[in-house]
């Protein structure tokens, strides 16, 4: 079998400590004068809390089958990074719920229900790790988009929120190949090596795009209701 591609050797993972976010000044409309961009990332934050739990579980289940010491070390750093991200988004998501977006918790619940059977079944590691690989691809793409958003609007963004998303996006792009490498190491094949698997990837993409549109509408409608309540209070 030809040698499988791996993350380039010059990509090093670093566990950063976001100390400035210990007492954060969160803001729901953090891209000023652009509620759609703000709520797009608010929805991503609501999803991330559950998606990163799924990804962490997948890598932890794969670790006993990893025999390459370099990759094993990368998974350890990867898990530390993801745990740090998750902690911050739990805090921000609670802020969003306190601001009146009660649907936040149902976003997490819906995702967990969709994938609970794979998470609970140890015999389905291949499916779980393939899912994690797809999710890490999405977060890498989204991370690049968010960094570009911050750069292009640097004068009109909340600095605390820019740090949260900038820090998270940087680490997502840094470790985006780890799940892919784990899958290829454990199963010795590409995670989308069949037509059915490629179709599942397309369906996953369509699902998250649909949920994003629904969520942005929800956030905007909630803002409109709150504005009306404030007008007549």
């Amino acid at each position: 079998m030809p040698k499988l591609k791996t993350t380039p050797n010059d990509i090093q993972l670093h566990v950063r400590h976001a100390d400035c976010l210990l007492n954060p000044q969160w803001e729901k409309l953090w891209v000023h004068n652009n509620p759609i961009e703000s709520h797009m990332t608010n929805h991503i934050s609501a999803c991330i809390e559950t998606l990163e739990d799924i990804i962490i579980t997948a890598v932890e289940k794969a670790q006993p089958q990893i025999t390459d010491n370099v990759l094993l070390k990368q998974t350890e750093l990867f898990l530390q990074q993801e745990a740090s991200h998750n902690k911050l988004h739990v805090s921000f998501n609670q802020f969003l719920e306190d601001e009146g977006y009660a649907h936040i918790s149902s976003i997490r619940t819906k995702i967990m229900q969709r994938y609970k059977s794979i998470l609970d079944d140890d015999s389905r590691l291949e499916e779980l790790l393939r899912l994690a690989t797809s999710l890490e691809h999405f977060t890498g793409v989204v991370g690049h988009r968010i960094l570009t958003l911050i750069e292009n609007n640097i004068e009109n963004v909340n600095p605390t929120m820019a740090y949260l998303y900038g820090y998270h996006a940087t680490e997502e792009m840094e470790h985006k190949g780890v799940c892919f490498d784990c899958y290829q190491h454990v199963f010795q094949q590409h995670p989308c090596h069949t037509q059915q698997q490629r179709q599942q990837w397309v369906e996953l993409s369509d699902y998250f795009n649909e949920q994003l549109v629904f969520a942005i509408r929800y956030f905007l409608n909630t803002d409109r209701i709150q504005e009306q309540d404030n007008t007549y209070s």
Side-chain angles (χ1 to χ4, degrees), residues 140-152:
V141 172
V142 170
H144 182 271
R145 188 185 189 286
I146 289 176
L147 288 176
T148 302
L149 171 68
I150 294 171
E151 182 179 12
N152 292 341

Side-chain angles (χ1 to χ4, degrees), residues 151-173:
E151 182 179 12
N152 292 341
N153 297 274
I154 196 63
E155 301 298 327
N156 295 300
V157 296
N158 174 292
T160 299
M161 299 303 300
Y163 190 95
L164 167 66
Y165 284 113
Y167 146 76
H168 189 168
T170 297
E171 292 196 343
E172 287 298 331
M173 296 178 68

